[in-house]
Amino acid sequence: MHLLVTGGAGFIGSNFIHYLLRTYQDVRITNLDNLTYAGNLENLREAENDPRYEFVKADIAEAAQLEPVFADRRFEAVVHFAAESHVDRSLHLGVEAFIRTNILGTQKLLDLTRAHRVPRFVHVSTDEVYGSLDDGGSFTETSPIQPNNPYAATKAASDFLVRAAAKSYNLDAVTTRCSNNYGPYQFPEKLIPLMIANAMENRPLPVYGDGQQVRDWIYVEDHCRGVDLALRHGETGAVYNIGGMHDVPNLEVVQQILHLLNKPATLITHVPDRPGHDRRYAMDATRISEELGWAPQFDFTAGLRRTVDWYLNNRAWWERIRSGAYRDYYQKIYQQRS
Ligand code: NAD
Ligand code: DAU
């Protein structure tokens, strides 16, 4: 099976490529990524010399860059991860890049997929499109779409464009919506790697507001398996929720990280809350479990231990990121918060 994977140099995309290469002998992967601040080819060093893998630098919002990639190959599916992915950036740095990549870029890919008759399109989306749960219950695939931050709004728009392409042109599209991922290669602006790196350097751990916001955490490999099942067996036009079945307040996650690293709770610093911060996410993943036989294989304690170990053993990876362009961003955000 020859796949076009977009955003494969990012966190989940690179984990997905590693997962495919170790799971299937007969897979071929073209990784299309324009290497934004979040794209890092170091994540794919082990794949570089694998004849089943190739990298193409291109921007999904530029049809002229996509056209030759589709024309020269006969893809059997597109798996679309590429996005501007961080909520805080969409709030503090402006939404334009999010609109361009997440909305326009998704539409360009849909157009090329249709024009070149690629048989299947898998759209990787997020629980953020459902908004916040203030009372009990969890999100199902039929929950209302009520995004509350600019990132989530652009992902919701992309979900609607995928739906529209499926309905209007019979495009064979499947959408997955997943909760908060963690694991190796996650950019250290996101909660878990940021807290691990800060704790290792004895820096303050900035918890937004009271830290009682609840997120559902999933180990990235479990997400990758879900996307792969949706790709191979998902029903045309379907949406599948994917969740780790581990809903906990942020503060508890941070405390667990400190415990694993044997660092003091005094490093925790409560900072002003994220604007419009969603209070609680929880996912109902019954559909993918019942229809595709998916279940998470990593419990949070084991997954977090593996993740902490990875950041301990790959210090150079995140230190290089933190000493580069990202440092200026982080300083700006941190000044705004304090
Ligand atoms: P990431 O920010 O780590 O990686 C995004 C990748 O997309 C990067 O390699 C970047 O270079 C690439 N990219 C960005 N703009 C591009 C463009 N215009 N053209 C080509 N490539 C471009 O993101 P991630 O956390 O790995 O998320 C991947 C996908 O999964 C996103 O669509 C995100 O919305 C979705 N998702 C993420 C999570 C999570 O917890 N991280 C949860 C659910 C869904
Ligand atoms: O829910 C799925 C989403 O998870 C994905 O769609 C996004 O692509 C992915 O980035 C992630 O969303 P966020 O961008 O909100 O993740 P982040 O790790 O920044 O935040 C997780 C929670 O932790 C959130 O409630 C805010 C809180 N937080 C985050 C940071 C960075 C803090 O309290 N302090 C922090 O410094």
Side-chain angles (χ1 to χ4, degrees):
M1 187 184 239
H2 191 172
L3 301 175
L4 175 64
V5 175
T6 72
F11 162 47
I12 305 173
S14 59
N15 275 284
F16 184 68
I17 290 171
H18 289 305
Y19 173 81
L20 290 177
L21 290 174
R22 67 173 177 265
T23 308
Y24 302 103
Q25 242 341 292
D26 60 347
V27 75
R28 284 182 65 201
I29 300 162
T30 299
N31 170 18
L32 185 149
D33 196 300
N34 72 339
L35 303 181
T36 66
Y37 79 95
N40 186 349
L41 289 179
E42 263 190 67
N43 302 359
L44 292 153
R45 190 147 286 166
E46 289 162 41
E48 254 167 29
N49 298 319
D50 192 315
R52 298 170 297 166
Y53 168 80
E54 67 166 344
F55 173 70
V56 176
K57 187 173 186 309
D59 183 340
I60 59 164
E62 295 291 339
Q65 293 181 23
L66 295 178
E67 176 59 41
V69 181
F70 279 81
D72 294 349
R73 297 161 186 82
R74 286 181 71 83
F75 295 124
E76 288 155 276
V78 174
V79 186
H80 177 33
F81 290 94
E84 285 293 336
S85 67
H86 198 202
V87 171
D88 288 337
R89 284 178 184 258
S90 78
L91 289 163
H92 299 296
L93 299 185
V95 74
E96 209 164 304
F98 289 75
I99 291 171
R100 186 174 180 281
T101 290
N102 300 0
I103 304 179
L104 193 63
T106 299
Q107 184 59 48
K108 302 272 183 205
L109 276 173
L110 290 166
D111 292 343
L112 269 291
T113 299
R114 194 158 74 88
H116 289 271
R117 296 191 164 78
V118 179
R120 177 146 268 215
F121 188 94
V122 180
H123 178 55
V124 180
S125 191
T126 169
D127 59 0
E128 298 243 357
V129 301
Y130 296 123
S132 189
L133 290 163
D134 291 326
D135 40 23
S138 47
F139 299 126
T140 70
E141 289 83 355
T142 54
S143 294
I145 303 297
Q146 294 177 326
N148 290 323
N149 62 65
Y151 157 74
T154 62
K155 289 298 287 189
S158 68
D159 288 16
F160 286 145
L161 289 172
V162 172
R163 178 189 159 92
K167 294 276 180 197
S168 305
Y169 307 117
N170 288 323
L171 191 90
D172 182 341
V174 178
T175 295
T176 58
R177 293 191 181 128
C178 190
S179 57
N180 288 67
N181 287 221
Y182 66 98
Y185 304 114
Q186 187 167 31
F187 197 85
E189 64 187 348
K190 309 284 166 60
L191 181 78
I192 288 182
L194 175 72
M195 297 298 166
I196 295 172
N198 278 17
M200 283 173 66
E201 292 185 334
N202 298 310
R203 292 172 190 260
L205 309 193
V207 169
Y208 298 164
D210 62 6
Q212 293 308 315
Q213 309 84 4
V214 171
R215 294 293 180 270
D216 169 50
W217 293 97
I218 181 169
Y219 191 68
V220 62
E221 191 179 314
D222 282 328
H223 182 193
C224 292
R225 253 185 317 103
V227 171
D228 184 42
L229 283 169
L231 161 71
R232 286 162 200 274
H233 307 294
E235 187 189 320
T236 299
V239 174
Y240 295 99
N241 280 354
I242 303 175
M245 329 237 173
H246 187 79
D247 315 334
V248 274
N250 292 335
L251 193 57
E252 219 175 287
V253 172
V254 175
Q255 283 162 343
Q256 260 180 277
I257 291 169
L258 287 171
H259 177 71
L260 284 170
L261 288 168
N262 200 20
K263 296 284 183 177
T266 48
L267 286 177
I268 294 173
T269 311
H270 288 270
V271 297
D273 209 349
R274 174 183 275 180
H277 201 170
D278 286 336
R279 198 65 183 163
R280 186 169 78 85
Y281 298 162
M283 289 295 258
D284 179 338
T286 306
R287 180 173 190 185
I288 193 167
S289 301
E290 288 185 353
E291 291 183 17
L292 307 184
W294 177 88
Q297 290 180 354
F298 291 86
D299 72 35
F300 187 67
T301 308
L304 191 62
R305 175 78 260 172
R306 277 169 86 104
T307 305
V308 166
D309 285 346
W310 190 86
Y311 283 85
L312 282 167
N313 293 329
N314 291 276
R315 196 169 179 137
W317 181 89
W318 57 264
E319 277 184 345
R320 258 197 298 282
I321 293 170
R322 278 161 61 106
S323 63
Y326 169 63
R327 190 187 49 207
D328 300 335
Y329 160 76
Y330 185 65
Q331 277 169 357
K332 188 173 159 199
I333 296 287
Y334 201 74
Q335 274 161 11
Q336 281 180 11
R337 284 191 201 126
S338 37

